[in-house]
């Protein structure tokens, strides 16, 4: 087949890209050759003055294309020995096809005959010097088998000259060099590919790896986050990017003193607020970090406490400072609000929860335990309603202003979301939570997950297994937040608190009051309405760790699993002192319910079975039972059909030994929890 074109305006209308070639016939020849190429068959293009002639070997295409496709399929399936004679026959029939020689070179390279592969690939380039795949393969052979980087770079650079926009090929070149330990040379190609396509996840992942090797963990974390954001759901690079993201976040957190960021921020905030800010460690506080506003404690300074053993606590300290900063800004504009509730509001809430309270009562729980439980639910829901929208603005500010803090921020928020997911999927949570509370909690947590995805590229929203209605409501709240996000003015975050409280059916239980008027009433000695009590978060003891003592779902989820977001001690066998949850109310509740389950079971079986279960757990404990581990599950031969968590086993073992031999030292101090469990069970 022969095609003839005349070099004129009509040709340019057919191929608009060629008009820029002007009087350069070589470029026009290359373009038309590429355009008329069919599979491995390249046409012969000649230009004589203003006449272009394109000669296409249609006979070869029709007779050889099917056989060539079979050869390619064999190669893809690793059947190189079967493909080799068929390919050599194709070359014998038509030696001018560059791709035949290129595929031959690939087969020879795969079967370990690199010198013969080089010869075949050189033949491919003799027939088509612009065969990019042949150029890259030659570079790979010289780099991998000959360890000749100079020769490899010659072919790699020629491949770039042929197609400077082929970012996939360029990234692959970098990957080959990376595997050879030539990180510096590899990075050059990765950066070129990134310039061509900044969103290609493979090259973003590769750049993250090079930064990690250079111990630039902040940079590595940033690229890994971008790779995760751009990788598709089924792309293997997605899983690899997430693993690298977690790894580099931990490496950066372990190698960087991010508390220095808090020190600098603290100085600016002290100047803005006109008050000293004290930041002190206290291992005994019930949450990871908390803020005490000066005015609420009749002090001349604001106080931030943090638990030094808590993971990523430096992020939470910064979170506290931003909350104080927002409050100071709102005060300057006269827009600060105090979040208050009353006993009347609480009683209305309790009426809402009556069906769930009856379930607890039927389960044999004492009135005092039920009362404490519902108060925890109420207090937690109010804190979450207040915190959730404000926390979005806080985390936005931290992400935007403190790049070095991002890895720590990621670890902190990731841990928190995993706990939220556990609570949302916990069946007992749904059983004992008022439906409106459970829904509000789930929706707000999904909003936090949407924000997390937007910041770091990691989508956890599906893990909640929420209803379509809850997901839609979370999306609606998120869109409302985005409207405020663009140009938030001091104090505007309180508008979202009010709106979301109303939307989620919680507005009847709280009131936002103007701080200036409340402080004025207090200074003048005017009493608050009877039963009123301030419960603001930052105006009283604001907790930057929402899982500390906020969410009712989290309080309920602690019944069946490790406490959410508290100071979970290390494994008992690693402690010098007995394992205890004395400073963790939710932890005590979890252990108490585990002990209660054990008491109920042991009361119905013979002493021999009690011994069998207890001793089997003790034997299992020799290999280590880590109460921090929420993922591992255990089964007992003495109690088939039941699955236990590590903390649950420890509580059962403690209960069993207290029944068998009360004085035995088990390395556990669950005495208070067991006493509560016995009281609930109606025992001694």
């Amino acid at each position: 087949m022969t095609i003839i074109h005349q070099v004129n305006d009509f040709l340019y209308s057919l191929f608009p890209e060629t008009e820029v070639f002007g009087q350069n016939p070589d470029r026009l020849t290359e373009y038309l050759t590429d355009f008329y190429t069919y599979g491995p068959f390249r046409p012969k293009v000649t230009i004589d003055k203003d006449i272009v002639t394109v000669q296409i070997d249609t006979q070869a295409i029709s007779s050889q294309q099917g056989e060539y496709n079979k050869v390619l399929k064999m190669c893809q399936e690793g059947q190189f020995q079967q493909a080799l004679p068929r390919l050599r026959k194709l070359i014998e029939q038509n030696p001018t096809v560059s791709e035949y020689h290129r595929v031959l070179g690939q087969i020879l390279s795969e079967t370990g005959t690199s010198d013969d592969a080089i010869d075949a690939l050189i033949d491919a380039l003799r027939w088509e010097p612009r065969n990019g795949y042949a150029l890259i393969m030659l570079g790979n052979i010289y780099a991998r088998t000959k360890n000749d980087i100079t020769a490899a770079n010659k072919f790699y650079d020629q491949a770039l000259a042929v197609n400077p926009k082929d970012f996939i090929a360029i990234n692959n070149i970098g990957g080959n060099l990376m595997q050879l330990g030539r990180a510096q040379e590899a990075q050059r190609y990765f950066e070129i590919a990134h310039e061509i396509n900044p969103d290609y996840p493979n090259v973003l992942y590769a750049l993250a790896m090079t930064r990690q090797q250079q111990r630039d963990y902040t940079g590595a974390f940033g690229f890994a986050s971008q790779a995760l954001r751009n990788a598709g759901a089924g792309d293997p690079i997605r899983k690899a990017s997430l693993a690298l993201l977690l790894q580099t976040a931990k490496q950066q957190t372990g190698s960087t003193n991010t508390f220095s960021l808090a020190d600098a921020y603290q100085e600016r905030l002290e100047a803005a607020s006109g008050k000293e800010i004290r930041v002190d460690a206290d291992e005994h506080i019930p949450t990871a970090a908390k803020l005490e506003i000066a005015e609420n404690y009749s002090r001349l300074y604001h106080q931030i406490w943090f638990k030094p053993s808590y993971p990523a606590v430096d992020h939470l300290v910064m979170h506290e400072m931003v909350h104080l900063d927002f409050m100071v800004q709102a005060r300057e504009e006269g827009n600060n609000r105090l979040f208050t509730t009353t006993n009347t509001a609480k009683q209305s809430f309790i009426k809402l929860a009556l069906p769930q309270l009856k379930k607890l009562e039927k389960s044999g729980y004492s009135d005092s335990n039920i009362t404490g439980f519902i108060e925890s639910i109420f207090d937690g829901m109010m804190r979450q309603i207040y915190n959730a929208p404000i926390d979005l603005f806080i985390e936005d500010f931290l992400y935007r202003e403190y790049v070095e803090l991002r890895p720590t921020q990621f670890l902190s928020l990731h841990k928190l979301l995993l706990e939220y997911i556990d609570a949302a999927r916990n069946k007992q949570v749904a059983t004992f939570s008022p439906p409106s509370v459970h829904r509000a909690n789930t929706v707000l947590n999904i909003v936090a997950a949407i924000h997390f995805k937007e910041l770091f590229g990691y989508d956890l929203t599906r893990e909640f297994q929420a209803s379509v209605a809850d997901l839609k409501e979370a999306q609606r709240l998120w869109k409302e937040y985005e409207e405020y996000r663009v140009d938030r003015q001091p104090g505007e975050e309180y508008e979202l608190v009010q709106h979301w409280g109303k939307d989620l059916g919680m507005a009847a239980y709280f009131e936002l009051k103007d701080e200036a008027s409340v402080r004025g009433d207090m200074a003048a000695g005017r009493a608050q309405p009877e039963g009123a009590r301030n419960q603001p978060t930052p105006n009283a003891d604001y907790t930057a760790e929402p899982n500390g003592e906020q969410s009712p779902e989290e309080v309920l989820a602690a019944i069946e699993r490790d406490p959410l977001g508290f100071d979970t001690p290390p494994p008992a066998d690693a402690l010098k002192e007995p394992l205890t949850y004395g400073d963790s109310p939710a932890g005590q509740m979890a252990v108490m319910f585990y002990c209660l389950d054990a008491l109920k079971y042991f009361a119905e079986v013979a002493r021999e079975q009690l011994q069998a279960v207890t001793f089997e757990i003790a034997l299992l404990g020799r290999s280590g039972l880590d109460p921090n581990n929420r993922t591992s599950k255990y089964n007992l031969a003495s109690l088939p059909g039941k699955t236990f968590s590590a903390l649950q086993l420890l509580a059962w073992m403690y209960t069993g030994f207290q029944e068998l031999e009360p004085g035995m030292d088990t390395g556990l101090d669950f005495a208070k929890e067991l006493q509560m469990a016995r009281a609930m069970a109606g025992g001694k």
Side-chain angles (χ1 to χ4, degrees):
M1 170 186 270
T2 301
I3 302 173
I4 298 176
H5 293 288
Q6 190 169 1
V7 181
N8 54 23
D9 290 341
F10 181 70
L11 177 68
Y12 297 145
S13 67
L14 295 176
F15 305 100
E17 300 86 351
T18 64
E19 189 170 4
V20 299
F21 299 157
Q23 302 301 315
N24 191 332
D26 290 339
R27 292 189 64 189
L28 180 58
T29 299
E30 289 177 359
Y31 179 88
L32 293 175
T33 299
D34 289 341
F35 179 84
Y36 284 107
T37 292
Y38 179 77
F41 304 101
R42 297 179 68 79
K44 182 180 179 181
V45 178
T46 58
I47 300 179
D48 184 11
K49 296 181 181 179
D50 61 347
I51 301 298
V52 178
T53 303
V54 182
Q55 294 178 322
I56 302 174
D57 191 347
T58 55
Q59 183 177 358
I61 293 174
S62 61
S63 64
Q64 296 177 355
Q65 182 64 38
E67 179 66 6
Y68 176 69
N69 289 340
K70 291 178 182 179
V71 169
L72 288 183
K73 185 177 181 182
M74 290 179 180
C75 292
Q76 291 169 358
E77 295 173 351
Q79 300 173 3
F80 299 120
Q81 295 304 323
Q82 294 92 324
L84 192 57
R86 305 180 76 152
L87 182 61
R88 289 191 186 279
K89 186 175 181 180
L90 284 174
I91 293 174
E92 183 180 341
Q93 293 173 349
N94 196 345
T96 65
V97 179
S98 175
E99 272 296 275
Y100 289 173
H101 298 282
R102 197 273 303 172
V103 175
L104 176 61
Q106 181 177 355
I107 292 176
L108 295 172
S109 176
E110 292 285 349
T111 55
T113 53
S114 57
D115 290 336
D116 291 340
I118 290 174
D119 292 339
L121 292 168
I122 292 295
D123 283 340
L125 293 175
R126 285 170 178 163
W127 290 108
E128 176 47 68
R130 298 171 62 252
N131 190 325
Y133 291 118
L135 289 166
I136 292 174
M137 287 183 64
L138 277 167
N140 293 345
I141 292 173
Y142 276 103
R144 291 178 177 177
T145 63
K146 305 294 185 181
N147 197 26
D148 188 344
I149 299 300
T150 301
N153 283 336
K154 178 179 69 174
F155 290 106
Y156 287 153
D157 289 344
Q158 185 61 29
L160 288 179
V162 168
N163 190 353
K165 297 299 183 182
D166 189 353
F167 60 88
I168 296 178
I170 297 169
N171 179 71
N172 291 341
I173 294 172
N176 289 322
L177 292 170
M178 192 78 171
Q179 290 179 6
L180 294 168
R182 314 287 299 206
Q184 188 171 356
E185 290 96 333
Q187 184 169 328
R188 169 182 173 236
Y189 289 97
F190 292 144
E191 289 176 347
I192 293 172
H194 183 244
E195 288 179 5
I196 298 170
N197 187 348
D199 298 326
Y200 184 44
N202 295 57
V203 76
L204 291 167
Y205 176 76
L207 286 170
M209 291 182 64
T210 61
R211 297 301 191 277
Q212 183 189 38
Q213 288 190 355
Q214 298 164 9
R215 298 186 179 181
D216 175 12
Y217 300 127
T218 301
F221 176 87
F223 279 118
S225 177
Q226 292 180 53
L228 182 63
R229 180 178 287 108
N230 286 282
D235 192 339
I237 207 71
R238 179 176 177 80
K239 184 177 181 180
S241 298
L242 176 59
L244 186 60
L245 189 70
L246 288 164
Q247 185 181 49
T248 54
K250 293 175 182 176
Q251 288 173 322
Q252 194 270 357
T253 301
S255 63
T256 306
N257 179 20
T258 48
F259 269 109
S260 60
L261 301 175
D263 292 339
Y265 190 17
Q266 178 180 345
E267 291 181 7
R268 297 198 305 272
L269 193 51
E270 285 177 333
S273 66
K275 285 185 172 63
E276 178 189 1
I277 301 171
R278 297 183 183 180
V279 181
D280 296 302
D282 185 352
E283 198 62 50
H284 300 292
I285 59 173
T287 55
K290 71 172 186 174
L291 168 66
E292 295 176 352
I293 301 299
E295 290 79 3
N296 293 333
Y297 289 83
S298 300
R299 296 173 181 158
L300 298 177
Y301 61 90
H302 303 296
Q303 177 73 60
I304 293 176
W305 299 102
F306 69 92
K307 187 175 291 188
S309 64
Y310 193 84
V313 73
D314 38 350
H315 159 252
L316 299 178
V317 170
M318 289 288 284
H319 185 110
E320 300 281 10
M321 287 190 179
V322 181
H323 213 299
L324 178 60
D325 192 0
F326 283 5
M327 187 199 71
V328 170
Q329 295 175 29
R331 280 179 171 177
E332 290 177 352
E333 299 295 324
N335 292 332
N336 199 42
R337 299 289 183 269
L338 298 183
F339 187 90
T340 65
T341 65
T342 65
N343 283 334
T344 301
K346 181 189 287 188
Q347 293 305 313
S348 298
F349 183 89
I350 292 174
K351 290 180 181 179
L352 175 73
L354 281 178
Q356 286 69 42
L357 299 184
K358 289 181 180 179
K359 290 181 183 179
L360 289 168
E361 190 175 21
K362 288 181 180 179
S363 298
Y365 301 145
S366 68
D367 290 344
S368 60
N369 278 286
I370 293 174
T371 300
F373 183 71
I374 195 60
E375 285 187 354
S376 296
I377 296 288
F378 176 75
D379 292 345
M381 188 72 259
M382 292 303 99
R383 286 190 179 91
Q384 189 181 24
I385 283 290
Y386 186 87
N387 291 335
I390 299 176
D391 284 351
L392 298 178
F393 292 108
I394 291 175
E395 297 303 336
D396 248 13
F397 174 84
L398 290 174
Y399 184 88
R400 184 177 64 252
E401 299 295 329
Y402 294 96
V403 176
E404 289 179 87
L405 189 67
R406 287 180 186 175
T408 306
Q409 182 184 22
F410 171 83
L411 290 176
S412 181
L413 296 179
H414 180 246
K415 177 179 182 295
L416 195 61
L417 280 173
L418 292 181
E419 293 166 350
Y420 286 161
I421 290 166
D422 282 346
R425 292 164 58 172
N426 187 289
K427 293 181 180 179
Q428 202 162 5
V429 169
T431 300
F432 291 112
S433 291
S436 59
V437 172
H438 186 262
R439 178 174 186 268
N441 178 261
T442 299
V443 168
L444 291 174
N445 289 339
I446 294 173
V447 173
I450 295 172
H451 191 217
F452 185 74
K453 174 189 174 184
E454 201 266 357
L455 294 181
F456 300 106
Y458 188 20
D459 187 3
L460 288 167
T461 55
R462 293 184 180 179
E463 299 299 318
F464 284 88
Q465 297 180 359
S467 67
V468 173
D470 287 353
L471 289 170
K472 287 184 177 179
E473 179 66 3
Q475 287 288 351
R476 191 187 67 78
L477 297 186
W478 170 254
K479 289 180 180 179
E480 185 178 8
Y481 161 72
E482 286 191 304
E483 295 174 2
Y484 282 85
R485 182 188 201 181
V486 178
D487 57 352
R488 180 195 72 89
Q489 300 301 309
E492 278 191 340
E493 57 269 25
Y494 299 127
E495 294 181 17
L496 275 187
V497 174
Q498 193 69 59
H499 293 171
W500 291 8
K502 180 180 179 180
D503 294 340
L504 296 172
M506 296 294 142
Y509 308 118
F510 70 88
E511 184 178 357
L512 288 168
K513 294 184 177 181
D514 177 68
E515 182 189 26
S517 62
V518 172
R519 300 289 185 199
D521 288 344
M522 293 174 66
R526 291 190 288 271
Q528 293 289 307
E530 183 178 357
R533 84 185 152 89
N534 282 335
Q535 199 167 282
T537 312
N539 308 301
D541 299 341
Y542 171 68
T543 301
E545 177 197 7
N547 58 311
E549 51 176 348
Q550 289 186 349
S551 163
E553 273 67 16
E554 296 166 65
V555 177
L556 284 166
I559 294 173
E560 288 189 334
R561 60 187 176 82
D562 209 4
L564 303 179
F566 280 88
D567 176 31
T568 306
D573 58 358
L575 297 176
K576 294 182 179 179
E577 297 182 357
L579 172 63
T580 179
Y581 287 89
D583 63 347
S584 172
Q588 287 183 331
M589 182 175 291
V591 174
M592 184 270 290
F593 275 101
Y594 289 147
C595 291
L596 180 60
D597 287 342
L599 285 173
K600 290 181 178 179
Y601 175 76
F602 291 149
E604 297 177 356
V605 299
R607 183 178 179 85
E608 290 76 12
Q609 176 65 3
L610 188 158
Q611 289 177 329
V613 172
T614 304
F615 291 161
E616 184 180 353
I617 298 173
L619 184 63
L620 184 63
R622 290 182 179 180
S623 60
L625 288 172
D626 182 1
N628 281 311
N629 190 333
R630 300 188 181 94
T631 58
S632 295
K633 300 298 180 183
Y634 303 87
N635 299 104
L636 300 176
S638 58
L639 189 53
K642 186 172 178 62
T643 302
F644 295 85
S645 67
L647 180 59
Q648 190 175 7
L649 283 176
L650 291 174
W652 274 59
M653 182 183 72
Y654 180 84
T655 304
F657 276 124
Q658 290 301 308
E659 293 290 310
L660 294 169
E661 190 175 343
M664 177 177 288
D665 181 9
T666 59
L668 305 168
D669 182 10
F670 295 163
K672 184 176 180 180
E673 291 86 345
L674 180 57
Q675 181 181 4
M676 294 169 59
R678 283 173 171 163
M680 293 185 70
K684 51 186 177 181

